Amino acid sequence: VGVDDSPAAERVLDAAFTAAAERGCGVVAVRTYLPPTPLWLASDVPAAAVEAPEQDAVERERFESQLAPWRGKFPDVPVETVVSHDSAAAVLVGASKGAQLVVVGSRGHGALAGAFLGSTGMQLVHHAECPVLIVRQPVTTPRRPVAASEGQRLIRVVRQQPASRVGARRASGPPATER
């Protein structure tokens, strides 16, 4: 499971621990971050190669605190934590080898942007070696119907709950109100 500090993290952890409990397996919880890098090194050294043991310890402690309630709620689910400076997508794709499921959140912002996967989710969908569960935040604003003017195509985004698979369906011709 890929975990960050976003508001979606609790839903992601809930989905990951529930799936692990149902499958009788453990959770590998991944946190990635970019350590502070001196400007003179930033262009020559990849973030994954930067050593920052003090910052790693702080990040690991924060991460362990975030995971503590879930360890208590699911005491039979073993948890391994990974803190890395590499990109979340790279670490999670690597962790997908031999995994039963990779669980991540989606950071959709607004109605339209929320219909698309983030860059990490997109990388996982294309490169993970196991199924990927993208946990979405619930929609908090009511959706309004969108009408296409004559001659335009109407694109509708279809969502499945609780996890979503994003798909689009084209409807051609005039809007339904004119048929």
Side-chain angles (χ1 to χ4, degrees), residues 64-157:
E64 292 290 344
S65 295
Q66 186 179 15
L67 294 171
W70 296 99
R71 288 179 193 244
K73 186 175 178 182
F74 294 90
D76 295 333
V77 174
V79 180
E80 175 189 341
T81 57
V82 175
V83 175
S84 174
H85 304 166
D86 209 346
S87 74
V91 175
L92 291 167
V93 166
S96 74
K97 296 174 178 140
Q100 293 184 26
L101 180 69
V102 174
V103 182
V104 293
S106 178
R107 289 195 183 181
H109 301 285
L112 182 59
F116 300 104
L117 296 177
S119 60
T120 300
M122 187 64 73
Q123 289 294 316
L124 286 166
V125 166
H126 289 287
H127 302 290
E129 295 188 21
C130 67
V132 174
L133 173 62
I134 309 284
V135 179
R136 308 286 306 225
Q137 286 290 67
V139 177
T140 56
T141 56
R143 301 248 187 241
R144 296 181 306 173
V146 177
S149 63
E150 191 170 340
Q152 290 183 329
R153 294 183 191 150
L154 178 62
I155 307 278
R156 294 190 310 176
V157 175

Side-chain angles (χ1 to χ4, degrees), residues 35 44-52 85-86:
D44 297 329
V45 178
V50 174
E51 292 188 26
H85 304 166
D86 209 346

Side-chain angles (χ1 to χ4, degrees), residues 1-3 13 17 27-31 63 67 71 79-83 92:
V1 62
V3 185
L13 286 168
F17 274 86
V27 168
V28 177
V30 175
R31 164 76 51 87
F63 195 27
L67 294 171
R71 288 179 193 244
V79 180
E80 175 189 341
T81 57
V82 175
V83 175
L92 291 167

